Amino acid sequence: MAATVSSFSFPLWANGLEDEIWDVIIVGSGVAGLSAACSALQAGSKRILILEKGPIVGGHSILSTGYVAGVDRKRQKKLGIADSPELMLRNMLDIGGHENDFELAKVVCYQSEETIYWLEDLGIKWEERIFQTVAGLHPRSHITSPVRAGYDYVMTLLKFALSKGAVLKLNTRATDLIYENGSVKGILATDTNGLSQKYSGKATILATGGFTANVELRKKYDPRLGQEFPTTANPFGSTFDGATGDGLLMAQRIGAATKDAEYLQLIPFWGLKNCETRALKV
Ligand SMILES: Cc1cc2nc3c(=O)[nH]c(=O)nc-3n(C[C@H](O)[C@H](O)[C@H](O)COP(=O)(O)OP(=O)(O)OC[C@H]3O[C@@H](n4cnc5c(N)ncnc54)[C@H](O)[C@@H]3O)c2cc1C
């Protein structure tokens, strides 16, 4: 979603709200949002704003085990593993029962190798071991460490983005896209005191993660997932889990449609309230 602004004037007042004008506004500070920030900076954007509704960065990404699937002939060759984007695509189509969005699967597979090296260039230190994960058909999964890979990705990307001038605002929840004359011009957000702010941007990127913490929304896609299933990020109902589908809902409010939602696999938690551990059978 992109919008054009004709000039920079920062800050100004409009409709009683302070209006900040940015090159790129990113909503969400998980790996998707932080990767977008790094990539935009590398492409020459200067004024990058990352909005995060939580009190800390990282969303589900920071909790993630963090196995990243990607062709990596540099490391795989040393371990005697043959691989290619073509093979990864074949595996992905097989595991998806050939119902995949072919063009999208192709992008993921054909860009996976450069993504592995791009992350490495930003400072990610991959383990030399390559893994075959549970749902994988070939050994091509990477981690930095078996205990804190998600944390490593978030911190590495964040460090790069901030060092190049990106601005991060925590405790700032995006509430609505600013949509005028058929294009997105930015975002409205509120802080923890309920103060609203308008942020205008040439481009606005929604990277708000999933929606397993939104019981009503997840039940729409999988009626089995009632309140009794807490989420990994908030297993006892006492901490923060930002995965409430805000980006999806904001986009739908301006007329966006969903695609292939019936294929989503929602896994809120490995267990039930009152600490009884039980796998959800999907
Ligand atoms: C325990 C665990 C293990 C996992 N293991 C793996 C694995 O090995 N391999 C793998 O590929 N995947 C794994 N996953 C899944 C993977 O971590 C996620 O798919 C990925 O991190 C999602 O990244 P994201 O940036 O899209 O979302 P997130 O990391 O969830 O980031 C979204 C951010 O947006 C913020 N946000 C939401 N709404 C708003 C709003 N309105 N305004 C401002 N900010 C907002 C949220 O607070 C959050 O910080 C795992 C997940 C978990 C929980």
Side-chain angles (χ1 to χ4, degrees), residues 27-33 51-54 56-68 172-175 207-210 232-233 240-244 246-247 250:
V27 187
S29 69
V31 282
L51 299 178
E52 169 54 55
K53 72 175 173 180
I56 57 163
V57 286
H60 280 197
S61 304
I62 208 163
L63 305 169
S64 169
T65 324
Y67 284 98
V68 179
T172 308
R173 184 168 65 91
T175 53
T208 55
T232 318
F240 173 77
D241 186 347
T244 46
D246 299 13
M250 278 188 270

Side-chain angles (χ1 to χ4, degrees), residues 69-143:
V71 176
D72 173 4
R73 284 168 279 204
K74 195 170 76 182
R75 276 177 203 78
Q76 285 171 311
K77 200 172 168 196
K78 282 191 221 157
L79 299 168
I81 303 163
D83 205 2
S84 66
E86 293 77 16
L87 179 60
M88 184 172 177
L89 182 59
R90 263 206 317 277
N91 292 159
M92 191 173 278
L93 297 177
D94 283 347
I95 210 98
H98 292 259
E99 304 248 3
N100 319 52
D101 178 329
F102 181 76
E103 290 306 321
L104 190 58
K106 214 167 135 188
V107 168
V108 172
C109 298
Y110 278 79
Q111 294 186 5
S112 71
E113 190 161 31
E114 65 186 89
T115 304
I116 295 287
Y117 301 148
W118 178 73
L119 287 165
E120 200 165 14
D121 286 344
L122 290 177
I124 292 295
K125 294 188 177 23
W126 297 116
E127 270 207 14
E128 287 302 312
R129 291 184 295 169
I130 303 277
F131 299 84
Q132 181 166 343
T133 51
V134 176
L137 296 180
H138 197 70
R140 62 168 70 89
S141 281
H142 299 67
I143 45 169

